[in-house]
Amino acid sequence: QVQLVESGGGLVQAGGSLRLSCAASGRTFSRDSTGWFRQAPGKEREFVAGIRWGSITFYADSVKGRFTISRDNAKNTVYLQMNSLKAEDTAVYYCAASAGYAGYGSDEYRYWGQGTQVTVSS
């Protein structure tokens, strides 16, 4: 059974940093595309960052230069390092994985975590 579990969310002051983790069980990330999405109250879920097989990364324009996605294959874990956080980054953050190629759309990912709350105070 495949499970993705996010952790690392919390409350942080604007300008601060957090690192989110997504640990997988039941499958291996190494050949997957893995993404981070977020959903704020009253808004649709939106793409944040992704990493494909071969460690090619891609980001939403709103987080470029501030967020970094990475993967540790030995630990079967994907990370989202979030720096220079802004109030508008407040959302529930979800990790997702696809058995192969996936890009910017949430419907391209098969496996999802339960989400972790990130709250940025201004």
Side-chain angles (χ1 to χ4, degrees), residues 29 52 55 63 100 117 119:
F29 278 154
R52 300 191 178 107
S55 297
V63 306
Q117 177 71 47
T119 302

Side-chain angles (χ1 to χ4, degrees), residues 33-36 47-52 56-60 69 103 109:
S33 294
T34 308
W36 286 95
F47 171 81
V48 176
I51 184 167
R52 300 191 178 107
I56 299 170
T57 60
F58 50 105
Y59 299 90
I69 187 171
Y109 296 83

Side-chain angles (χ1 to χ4, degrees), residues 34-113:
T34 308
W36 286 95
F37 292 77
R38 66 187 182 187
Q39 188 166 23
K43 295 186 177 181
E44 295 183 354
R45 187 171 298 184
E46 65 175 349
F47 171 81
V48 176
I51 184 167
R52 300 191 178 107
W53 181 80
S55 297
I56 299 170
T57 60
F58 50 105
Y59 299 90
D61 288 341
S62 59
V63 306
K64 284 181 179 178
R66 300 190 297 121
F67 291 9
T68 303
I69 187 171
S70 62
R71 185 164 59 207
D72 186 334
N73 289 331
K75 297 181 179 179
N76 209 31
T77 300
V78 64
Y79 303 96
L80 184 68
Q81 179 67 46
M82 305 186 295
N83 298 326
S84 301
L85 283 162
K86 305 174 180 179
E88 52 263 43
D89 295 318
T90 296
V92 177
Y93 283 71
Y94 300 88
C95 69
S98 174
Y101 176 86
Y104 297 86
S106 61
D107 59 354
E108 300 177 52
Y109 296 83
R110 175 175 292 179
Y111 307 107
W112 291 84

